[in-house]
Amino acid sequence: MQYASLSNGDQMPLLGLGTWKSESRQVYTAVREAIKIGYRHIDCASVYGNEKEVGDAIRDAIQNHDVTRSELWITSKLWSNCHGKDRVEAALNQSIQNLSVDYLNLYLIHWPVSIKPEKAFAESVDDLLSPEQSPMSETWEAMESACEKGLTRHIGVSNFSIQKLQKLLSSCKQKPEVNQVEHHPLLQQQALLEYCASEGILITAYSPLGSMDRPQSLKVKDAPVVLENPVIRSIAETRGCSPAQVVLAWDVQRGISAIPKSVKPSRLLENLQAAEIKLSTSELQTMEALDQNTRLVNGSFWVMEGGPWTLQSLWDTP
């Protein structure tokens, strides 16, 4: 395994197991198997609805001496209905309880979008809170406090653009240490990567393989399929590995952590073994040329007529 170093010297494994879209009845077995074969980085979120089952697997793996708590890197995320000074700590404590641990390694603001506390999801424009109604600076202050109390060793964000990071950095006491964003060969976000590197912010790639099983509501007609890209498939064929391994090796080799999701034992092992593959300079350059700026999880579920968000303001694009 390869690792990324954080500010206090903690080491985050660059390959982890994602749990988005993993059904509760499958995720327990998947996490137990993942830990057994060597995964030490588990990525979770309260909104995924399966943290309790993930926690059962973590607890049982530790009790079975498959792993110790100190060997695990466990990430979770603050959902949008728990923003604000008074709600962050309770949400974090709930994830800690669900995950059967005493602390998290990393806690992220899931989206830079706030919704009313009584709503699990934004079903209408009335459920959304504007940035003025729910300032991100107040949520971040509560994140800093939770970190100071030892509830999480590190804090960060997810789905934050350069501009949103800049605004956060202008007022924070503690920098976000990680920005988890959609990242794959067809959406490389090079400017964001360079900005984060300049500020010492690590990148974690979600949907690194293109999230073929993303919800139907997120799929658009004729969307490209990352793992069917002929260049990626050609590199895989030459190397005698899978297209998924090529993509994950591409991330790891550039210091980007990736959290592919799978519940199949064979795929779990295949993904983990991607860290052993070293792409050549020419192969890396060929991969860089694949960027299409194609966002597969575009956040359109936050955009409602008369609401505070457009796709342009969400991602800070022209």
Side-chain angles (χ1 to χ4, degrees), residues 6 79 89 97 99 123 197 309 313:
L6 285 96
W79 187 236
E89 188 170 325
Q97 179 180 332
L99 291 166
E123 298 172 355
W309 295 101
S313 64

Side-chain angles (χ1 to χ4, degrees), residues 181-190 193 205-206 226 250 254 290-297 315:
V181 296
E182 181 183 347
H183 175 79
H184 45 72
L186 306 185
L187 180 71
Q188 299 189 23
Q189 306 207 69
Q190 190 59 37
L193 267 59
Y206 74 72
V226 173
W250 171 72
R254 295 175 307 129
L290 298 180
D291 193 10
Q292 300 177 15
N293 195 33
T294 299
R295 201 179 285 279
L296 301 174
V297 183
W315 303 114

Side-chain angles (χ1 to χ4, degrees), residues 11-221:
Q11 301 284 296
M12 179 172 69
L14 288 182
L15 269 179
L17 175 67
T19 59
W20 179 40
K21 310 179 301 299
S22 291
E23 296 181 13
S24 58
R25 62 185 175 83
Q26 296 178 316
V27 75
Y28 173 89
T29 304
V31 172
R32 286 299 306 273
E33 176 66 16
I35 291 174
K36 181 180 178 181
I37 64 176
Y39 282 84
R40 295 295 180 262
H41 177 171
I42 312 294
D43 182 86
C44 315
S46 61
V47 78
Y48 298 166
N50 57 11
E51 279 193 334
K52 181 65 170 61
E53 291 76 18
V54 173
D56 290 345
I58 291 170
R59 179 201 62 218
D60 290 352
I62 292 173
Q63 290 181 351
N64 195 51
H65 305 294
D66 296 336
V67 70
T68 64
R69 171 64 186 96
S70 62
E71 293 173 321
L72 289 173
W73 181 279
I74 302 173
T75 297
S76 191
K77 308 179 192 76
L78 177 77
W79 187 236
S80 295
N81 63 352
C82 292
H83 289 188
K85 288 183 179 180
D86 302 326
R87 299 185 60 80
V88 171
E89 188 170 325
L92 174 49
N93 275 321
Q94 186 61 61
S95 283
I96 287 173
Q97 179 180 332
N98 288 342
L99 291 166
S100 299
V101 293
D102 296 325
Y103 66 93
L104 297 182
N105 297 82
L106 176 63
Y107 198 49
L108 307 175
I109 297 176
H110 205 150
W111 285 88
V113 177
S114 301
I115 62 177
K116 290 181 177 179
E118 64 272 19
K119 295 293 182 177
F121 299 95
E123 298 172 355
S124 74
V125 67
D126 293 332
D127 299 335
L128 293 165
L129 298 174
S130 71
E132 292 72 31
Q133 291 173 302
S134 180
M136 198 54 57
S137 59
E138 294 185 0
T139 297
W140 188 253
E141 185 179 332
M143 295 280 285
E144 292 173 329
S145 175
C147 192
E148 290 167 1
K149 292 178 180 179
L151 299 176
T152 180
R153 290 182 62 83
H154 304 276
I155 51 177
V157 296
S158 181
N159 297 299
F160 270 53
S161 66
I162 292 174
Q163 290 88 331
K164 288 180 175 59
L165 286 170
Q166 289 172 330
K167 186 173 182 179
L168 191 60
L169 291 175
S170 70
S171 61
C172 68
K173 291 189 301 182
Q174 181 178 341
K175 282 185 177 183
E177 294 194 73
V178 174
N179 187 14
Q180 185 176 126
V181 296
E182 181 183 347
H183 175 79
H184 45 72
L186 306 185
L187 180 71
Q188 299 189 23
Q189 306 207 69
Q190 190 59 37
L192 178 63
L193 267 59
E194 291 174 2
Y195 175 77
C196 286
S198 73
E199 293 290 347
I201 300 171
L202 298 172
I203 293 288
T204 293
Y206 74 72
S207 300
L209 305 179
S211 190
M212 279 296 293
D213 62 347
R214 63 191 183 278
Q216 195 64 37
S217 60
L218 298 182
K219 294 184 178 181
V220 297
K221 186 179 179 181

